[in-house]
Amino acid sequence: QVQLVESGGGLVQPGGSLRVSCAASATIFRINSMGWYRQAPGKQREWVADINRGGNTNYADSVKARFTISRDNAKNTVYLQMNSLKPEDTAVYYCHALYLGGDYWGQGTQVTVSS
């Protein structure tokens, strides 16, 4: 079983930056894939980015070149650095892990982009 806890959300201005974190209860090098999803009110949850054990990353087109997913294996933590934020990035951001064929989710952290 994997427990995921997000942190770092908040209110930022358009064009600003924010880094959200996801702390995992398991050593993340043993987790097949970790990533971030987001969900805005009235919308479906959408995939944002992921990173696998080898460090390979993938991004949704909407965030590519603006967001960077990274990991710190020693801290069992995955990060999402968000730059050049836009109002449409406003959502609850959820950490996700794929482990032994199962899906695990954090509780989410709110990111609001507004002036």
Side-chain angles (χ1 to χ4, degrees), residues 14-113:
S17 298
L18 196 67
R19 188 179 74 167
V20 291
S21 303
C22 173
S25 63
T27 52
I28 60 174
F29 78 91
R30 296 177 179 176
I31 301 175
N32 185 60
S33 180
M34 298 191 68
W36 291 92
Y37 290 69
R38 66 186 183 185
Q39 187 169 24
K43 299 179 65 178
Q44 294 185 350
R45 187 171 299 185
E46 65 173 342
W47 168 75
V48 175
D50 59 51
I51 185 168
N52 67 14
R53 290 191 297 261
N56 298 309
T57 59
N58 297 284
Y59 300 93
D61 287 342
S62 59
V63 306
K64 190 173 296 184
R66 298 190 299 119
F67 291 11
T68 302
I69 187 170
S70 62
R71 69 187 185 196
D72 186 333
N73 290 337
K75 296 181 178 179
N76 295 325
T77 300
V78 171
Y79 304 95
L80 185 68
Q81 177 67 45
M82 300 178 286
N83 299 324
S84 302
L85 283 162
K86 305 174 181 179
E88 51 262 45
D89 295 319
T90 296
V92 177
Y93 283 72
Y94 294 92
C95 185
H96 169 262
L98 180 63
Y99 182 63
L100 297 179
D103 290 300
Y104 299 88
W105 298 92
Q107 83 288 351
T109 185
Q110 176 71 48
V111 173
T112 302
V113 185

